Amino acid sequence: MFQVLVFVMWIVAIAWMFVAVLMAIAEATSPIGTVLGAFFTLLLYGIFPVSIVMYILLTPQRRRARLAAVQREAEQAARSAQPAQAVTPAVAEPPSAGPQPDAGGLPTGDPITPERKEP
């Protein structure tokens, strides 16, 4: 049943785009119409509304696909689960690229000396 609804939804979207293209052609070939007007007719009557409606109507299908992918990953992880092995982390040594800014334990000073006005 769901596949039939999706099929009908695509048919309606294609029919709507067909009508929008015909409107754009009529706008472009009209004596008082322009190609720019035809472009905006196609954009505002066809592409934008159809894309928004299709996005909204296909949300349940995307949600089902996402949940099915999560379920497949969980099943695959459960099948390939192995006992955890004790892993000792390697001790990272600090980089020896030069002195650290506060290596002496003293508070940091102002790096730029303030300007003084001449008396």
Side-chain angles (χ1 to χ4, degrees):
M1 178 67 181
F2 177 75
Q3 291 177 348
V4 172
L5 292 175
V6 171
F7 180 73
V8 169
M9 179 177 52
W10 280 104
I11 294 293
V12 169
I14 291 169
W16 183 268
M17 285 304 300
F18 179 72
V19 169
V21 167
L22 289 180
M23 289 171 57
I25 291 172
E27 174 77 24
T29 59
S30 170
I32 59 171
T34 62
V35 175
L36 183 64
F39 172 73
F40 281 110
T41 298
L42 180 65
L43 199 65
L44 297 176
Y45 282 104
I47 295 173
F48 283 160
V50 169
S51 65
I52 290 170
V53 168
M54 293 299 285
Y55 180 80
I56 290 171
L57 292 177
L58 289 175
T59 299
Q61 185 178 1
R62 285 193 312 273
R63 184 181 305 132
R64 271 194 291 278
R66 186 177 61 236
L67 291 176
V70 167
Q71 186 177 13
R72 276 194 309 268
E73 288 176 5
E75 290 172 358
Q76 187 178 19
R79 274 188 247 126
S80 66
Q82 297 177 359
Q85 299 173 355
V87 177
T88 56
V91 177
E93 295 188 23
S96 60
Q100 297 296 321
D102 195 16
L106 299 174
T108 58
D110 203 9
I112 300 173
T113 56
E115 289 187 27
R116 294 186 183 184
K117 292 186 178 180
E118 301 264 337

